């Protein structure tokens, strides 16, 4: 359904254009990132909101590189089971496990993370080094949802990246590294609402869906999540 009774909005209320799949150079992460950045930059120049669907979480880096050139005060809002803050993983600095490290270390971007519950000791130290704000899965389960997850002085322009394994594996098993202890649908909805309030969403992505043959509910969950974020971003951006 294109209509959301929760938001009383329909996808047809706004202008949505599907630019199709982006053909990437197989075997070269750097070349793929250049192509993604170029397409995202083109969309941003046209005054539109880029939405990426993946696939590998590394795709986020290409879009963020484009977004920060237009919005230097950009802040990343990151939902994930994993911190993705490794300087490199399996010998590569361009890995799904390193995408947030590239954002904070190479681009100097502030980062807020939600629902993380799997990371190594090195990543815990990197969080301290780069002053990464985090509301991890364990914290959210024990303390509850933050009423104001982003501080008042938080930059206005945000990029939302949502790895579907941020959701609990009971509702999102169709991903490369499903993990128990994640957030449920209502919790994701609540946090996203709070994050976009008073902000401008300048880019977003939903990544790491790995469909399982014969299992349909996870695919629909990812689609509905994308629908939700699109609606919230549209409303936030049109309150100015």
């Amino acid at each position: 359904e294109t209509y959301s009774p929760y938001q009383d909005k329909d996808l047809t209320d706004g202008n949505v254009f599907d630019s199709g799949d982006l053909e990437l150079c197989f075997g070269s992460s750097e070349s793929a990132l250049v192509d993604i950045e170029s397409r995202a930059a083109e969309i941003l120049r046209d005054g539109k909101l880029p939405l990426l669907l993946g696939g590998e979480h590394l795709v986020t880096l290409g879009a963020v590189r484009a977004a920060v050139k237009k919005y230097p005060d950009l802040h990343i809002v990151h939902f994930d089971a994993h911190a993705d803050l490794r300087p490199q993983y399996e010998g590569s600095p361009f890995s799904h496990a390193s995408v947030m490290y590239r954002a904070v270390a190479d681009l100097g971007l502030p980062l807020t993370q939600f629902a993380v519950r799997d990371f190594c000791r090195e990543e815990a130290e990197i969080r301290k080094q780069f002053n990464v704000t985090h509301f991890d899965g364990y914290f959210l389960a024990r303390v509850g949802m933050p009423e104001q997850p982003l501080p008042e002085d938080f930059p206005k322009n945000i990029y939302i990246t949502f790895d579907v394994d941020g959701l609990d594996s009971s509702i999102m098993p169709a991903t490369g590294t499903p993990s128990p202890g994640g957030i449920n649908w209502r919790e994701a909805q609540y946090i996203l609402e709070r994050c976009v309030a008073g902000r401008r969403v300048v880019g977003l992505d939903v990544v790491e869906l790995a469909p399982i043959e014969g299992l349909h509910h996870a695919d629909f969950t990812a689609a509905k999540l994308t629908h939700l974020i699109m609606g919230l971003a549209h409303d936030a951006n049109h309150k100015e």
Side-chain angles (χ1 to χ4, degrees), residues 136-145 181 187:
D136 291 339
Y138 180 80
F139 175 90
L140 293 173
R142 293 294 298 269
V143 179
M145 300 299 105
E187 290 166 342

Side-chain angles (χ1 to χ4, degrees), residues 176-188:
T177 48
S179 179
I183 53 178
N184 63 34
W185 177 261
R186 297 299 181 197
E187 290 166 342

Side-chain angles (χ1 to χ4, degrees), residues 21-32:
D21 295 338
L22 185 60
E23 294 187 12
L24 302 174
C25 178
F26 183 76
S28 174
S29 298
E30 293 92 335
S31 295

